[in-house]
Amino acid sequence: MRSFLIFFILLVVWGCTDQQPSHNYSSVDVRILFNDSVSIRALEVMEGSVGFAGNGGVFGAIDLKSQQIRAKQQRFDTIFPEFRSIAHTQTDFFMLSAGRPALLFKTGNQGLMELVYQEDDEGVFYDAMSFWNDMEGLAIGDEMNGCLSILITRDGGNSWQKTPCSELPQAITGEGAFAASNTNIAISGDHTWVGTTESRIFYSPDKGQSWQVFTTPIKNRAPTQGIYTLDFYNDQLGVALGGDYTQPDSMTGNKALTKNGGRTWELIADGNIPGYKSCVQFVPNGGGKEMVAVGFTGITYSQDFGDSWVNLSDEPFYTLRFVNDSIAYAAGKHRIGLLSFK
């Protein structure tokens, strides 16, 4: 009876630690699917396809089965917007331009995109967007009038409202987010985290109804430094990466991990690879131990909560999204690639 009880306790402890076999990836095959004069910083895995958008008003989708690519070009007046943020629900695809004017489009009738939000104030610049569910989503942008720019929809993206500064924490002058990979926002359930250029975390426990701010040890002494990307495996475990794209080989103060929902952070692999990266994602079914980071400096992988990393490839990309635990899509300058981890 006693031995059975001990065995049962061990099973419970094992299950609670979310232990899963490590994939032990040692290589990645890269197959380029799309070559064009387009810079692509936003990817989104959807039902049966991967959506993308980039500069020159270019957007489209890749069929997950056939790998066939459908691309279009969105125009507004005489402008071909630069899209750095996209998102989706079960029924609609959204894309948001960076810079002025801010233009937010959603899927409209007959396959055309419909403009659902426009902002033309001086200093407007949106960096990332995401959805909590099919009805509620947000987009975040740089500081204006003392607070971050935060757009919220509660009706499936048909209308968007900008959150008043009176309802938000005060921002540092010039604080914003790097529109490098559409991964400045991380969502787990109702919880939301936003990483900023000042290496701070704006956190909401209730889908954008209220906000508070946490600090991180990621360096931000120069305008090109700060948090470029973050991801959360669940509502407690998260990782944030940054660095300096003008000094991509600098490896100190650019990687941090939280185990308490973003309240406190500790540097990881400090002084070791990787240096600058623009996107980090947890590997699905990796128990939170495994993560992949990409940038124009290549592809790196960790299997021990970011304590150590290995370079898998020098192939340059800006952003990445997993389809499953061994297949991902990545995009960058003039390219979209299919990545197979082995």
Side-chain angles (χ1 to χ4, degrees):
M1 181 66 181
R2 183 183 176 188
S3 61
F4 175 80
L5 181 60
I6 292 173
F7 179 70
F8 177 77
I9 292 173
L10 288 174
L11 282 179
V12 171
V13 171
W14 179 264
C16 289
T17 56
D18 196 18
Q19 294 289 334
Q20 296 187 34
S22 177
H23 294 97
N24 293 319
Y25 293 135
S26 59
S27 64
V28 58
D29 290 339
V30 178
R31 175 187 169 197
I32 302 302
L33 303 176
F34 179 81
N35 270 302
D36 205 337
S37 57
V38 181
S39 176
I40 300 170
R41 296 183 179 270
L43 288 175
E44 190 83 358
V45 177
M46 304 184 294
E47 185 67 31
S49 67
V50 175
F52 65 89
N55 64 346
V58 174
F59 70 100
I62 305 169
D63 186 274
L64 287 175
K65 291 184 178 180
S66 68
Q67 307 302 323
Q68 182 179 356
I69 296 175
R70 295 171 284 114
K72 298 181 180 180
Q73 191 173 35
Q74 182 67 47
R75 181 174 178 171
F76 176 79
D77 196 12
T78 60
I79 301 170
F80 291 100
E82 180 175 358
F83 296 113
R84 296 197 181 191
S85 307
I86 65 173
H88 81 289
T89 63
Q90 289 189 14
T91 57
D92 289 298
F93 173 75
F94 299 83
M95 53 191 190
L96 174 61
S97 67
R100 181 182 181 187
L103 304 168
L104 201 165
F105 294 87
K106 71 177 286 289
T107 309
N109 295 326
Q110 298 160 350
L112 301 176
M113 300 302 291
E114 174 188 356
L115 182 67
V116 291
Y117 181 83
Q118 180 179 356
E119 187 177 342
D120 197 25
D121 294 330
E122 184 177 354
V124 64
F125 196 102
Y126 284 94
D127 308 289
M129 65 186 309
S130 189
F131 272 77
W132 292 287
N133 52 53
D134 284 343
M135 297 303 293
E136 299 171 290
L138 82 161
I140 60 102
D142 293 353
E143 176 264 333
M144 294 178 66
N145 303 315
C147 69
L148 290 187
S149 299
I150 299 183
L151 301 177
I152 301 284
T153 180
R154 306 285 184 192
D155 62 1
N158 291 310
S159 63
W160 298 76
Q161 287 75 43
K162 191 166 186 177
T163 305
C165 284
S166 60
E167 299 178 11
L168 293 173
Q170 185 175 359
I172 298 170
T173 301
E175 186 171 17
F178 293 109
S181 61
N182 197 39
T183 53
N184 301 108
I185 302 171
I187 287 176
S188 178
D190 294 347
H191 302 268
T192 310
W193 300 265
V194 175
T196 79
T197 57
E198 296 292 332
S199 297
R200 302 201 299 171
I201 301 292
F202 281 65
Y203 167 71
S204 172
D206 50 15
K207 295 184 291 187
Q209 300 284 358
S210 64
W211 295 87
Q212 54 188 303
V213 180
F214 305 132
T215 60
T216 78
I218 290 181
K219 62 185 178 183
N220 64 319
R221 292 185 294 271
T224 50
Q225 297 173 352
I227 296 173
Y228 277 79
T229 174
L230 76 165
D231 192 24
F232 271 73
Y233 190 76
N234 51 39
D235 62 7
Q236 296 297 306
L237 179 63
V239 62
L241 267 64
D244 188 334
Y245 74 88
T246 67
Q247 301 177 36
D249 294 331
S250 176
M251 296 177 289
T252 59
N254 69 318
K255 304 172 285 289
L257 192 78
T258 180
K259 296 181 180 179
N260 59 7
R263 288 165 178 79
T264 60
W265 297 74
E266 293 185 1
L267 291 176
I268 52 177
D270 201 31
N272 296 312
I273 64 169
Y276 166 78
K277 295 295 179 184
S278 55
C279 179
V280 64
Q281 296 284 279
F282 281 103
V283 177
N285 304 316
K289 299 179 298 181
E290 299 180 74
M291 52 193 79
V292 170
V294 302
F296 65 79
T297 53
I299 304 168
T300 59
Y301 164 70
S302 173
Q303 60 177 353
D304 55 9
F305 296 101
D307 286 338
S308 64
W309 299 73
V310 293
N311 287 323
L312 297 184
S313 173
D314 292 330
E315 291 280 358
F317 293 102
Y318 295 146
T319 191
L320 167 138
R321 295 293 186 281
F322 278 95
V323 176
N324 55 45
D325 58 2
S326 61
I327 300 295
Y329 287 78
K333 185 177 181 181
H334 303 166
R335 59 193 348 224
I336 297 175
L338 175 63
L339 278 54
S340 301
F341 292 90
K342 299 179 179 180

